[in-house]
Amino acid sequence: MNIACIEARRAGETIAQLTDVASLDHPESDSHITIFTDKTGVVKAARLLLSSVTKVLVLADRVVIKQIITSRNKVFVASFFCFV
């Protein structure tokens, strides 16, 4: 999970760097500022971010499901001993 979180952070930082308006040195002559200087890089970083966040969510779901199964087994064992 830690690796997926690190990947998500890197992808987010890459997107922030690629879309940072303050890093532009000079505005264009017609006073329009181009925010996305490298669209391919932004797309790759966005895909990496989506993939990393998906990994984190899947791992979190696995943990929650394991906790639910464990608690269900405890309840089943406790209720079985109550009837015996």
Side-chain angles (χ1 to χ4, degrees):
M1 183 178 263
N2 188 28
I3 293 171
C5 290
I6 291 170
E7 287 177 1
R9 179 175 290 174
R10 283 187 199 151
E13 289 172 354
T14 302
I15 291 173
Q17 290 172 355
L18 291 172
T19 59
D20 188 16
V21 177
S23 69
L24 296 175
D25 293 334
H26 50 76
E28 296 177 0
S29 60
D30 60 355
S31 73
H32 288 94
I33 297 175
T34 303
I35 295 176
F36 301 115
T37 56
D38 182 14
K39 291 183 181 182
T40 304
V42 173
V43 169
K44 287 180 181 179
R47 287 180 180 166
L48 179 62
L49 180 61
L50 181 62
S51 173
S52 301
V53 169
T54 302
K55 288 177 187 176
V56 170
L57 293 174
V58 167
L59 290 171
D61 283 347
R62 287 182 182 178
V63 169
V64 170
I65 289 171
K66 189 172 183 178
Q67 289 174 343
I68 290 171
I69 290 172
T70 302
S71 67
R72 187 188 74 171
N73 289 341
K74 288 179 184 177
V75 170
F76 178 73
V77 170
S79 62
F80 176 75
F81 285 121
C82 288
F83 289 115
V84 173

